[in-house]
Amino acid sequence: MIQAPLKSIMEILEDQANYPKVFERVESTVILGDGVVLVSLDMPFPFSNRDYVVKYIQEQVDNEFIYRFHAVIHPEAPLNSKYVRLIHAAGEWRLHALG
């Protein structure tokens, strides 16, 4: 649970370009367009140097805001020999007001 205004959290999640300033493990993000982002991560040993290319999808169901992402292949996301590409990356954030 995050105790912050819903609008503030939504703004953070929608601003992928600034993820390195918000999320400790995110080294960099490259916006590739149409909701597609290349995310590079600095993970602890033995998982260091991972990246993934995902498409973000936003939707609202009743009073819940959902931010989903799933791995995609994008021609402008070259492989970097220093990173292991996570080809099955996926997840979601589900936001709703607590009261």
Side-chain angles (χ1 to χ4, degrees):
M1 176 171 47
I2 300 172
Q3 303 240 355
L6 186 61
K7 183 176 180 182
S8 296
I9 297 170
M10 291 171 67
E11 289 172 355
I12 289 169
L13 292 177
E14 292 171 11
D15 187 9
Q16 293 98 3
N18 281 310
Y19 278 13
K21 296 177 184 175
V22 176
F23 299 105
E24 181 179 334
R25 298 282 180 211
V26 177
E27 283 186 340
S28 67
T29 55
V30 178
I31 309 300
L32 300 172
D34 196 27
V36 178
V37 182
L38 168 61
V39 180
S40 299
L41 304 171
D42 178 21
M43 302 295 288
F45 179 81
F47 303 107
S48 59
N49 297 332
R50 306 290 195 225
D51 72 7
Y52 54 83
V53 181
V54 290
K55 178 162 180 75
Y56 285 89
I57 299 168
Q58 301 171 21
E59 65 180 316
Q60 182 176 354
V61 177
D62 298 322
N63 292 328
E64 192 167 54
F65 296 90
I66 304 167
Y67 294 85
R68 288 192 172 102
F69 59 93
H70 64 276
V72 296
I73 297 171
H74 194 283
E76 294 179 34
L79 290 173
N80 182 331
S81 63
K82 296 180 181 180
Y83 289 85
V84 173
R85 176 75 36 99
L86 303 174
I87 60 171
H88 298 292
E92 69 181 18
W93 295 80
R94 289 182 169 260
L95 308 177
H96 62 271
L98 295 176

